[in-house]
Amino acid sequence: DRVCVGVRAERVRLELGDAAANDRPNLVACRPGNTIYKGKYLDQPADTTLGTVSARIWDRTLDISQVTHLWWPKEDCVVVPE
């Protein structure tokens, strides 16, 4: 069955390099889009096979060009029927 997953941008985690080796829940390959400056933080949209997922970034030293995957903890999302 198809579902819809809701997760807050600040709960999405970004992974650098070969994240496939990591044992993370909900690990999805991604390609970062254009970063959106929001003052104290950045919003980072990322294209995935699931659609566009946004991550909130507080650490401005993160090298976005090295991001290859994203994930979120299972307790931080809501799954509902589509």
Side-chain angles (χ1 to χ4, degrees):
D1 294 336
R2 292 176 55 109
V3 297
C4 180
V5 176
V7 61
R8 294 178 58 96
E10 58 269 22
R11 300 297 188 202
V12 175
R13 310 288 195 266
L14 300 173
E15 291 285 330
L16 309 177
D18 186 19
N22 295 338
D23 184 27
R24 302 274 193 216
N26 307 312
L27 183 69
V28 180
C30 71
R31 185 173 47 88
N34 293 327
T35 304
I36 302 166
Y37 174 74
K38 298 270 186 134
K40 292 182 180 181
Y41 56 85
L42 306 171
D43 276 353
Q44 181 60 58
D47 295 326
T48 74
T49 57
L50 306 174
T52 302
V53 176
S54 291
R56 182 143 301 150
I57 302 171
W58 295 89
D59 178 9
R60 301 229 182 142
T61 63
L62 179 68
D63 184 357
I64 299 301
S65 69
Q66 300 299 312
V67 172
T68 58
H69 293 76
L70 57 82
W71 68 279
W72 58 89
K74 62 183 178 183
E75 61 273 6
D76 288 337
C77 70
V78 176
V79 180
V80 296
E82 188 175 57

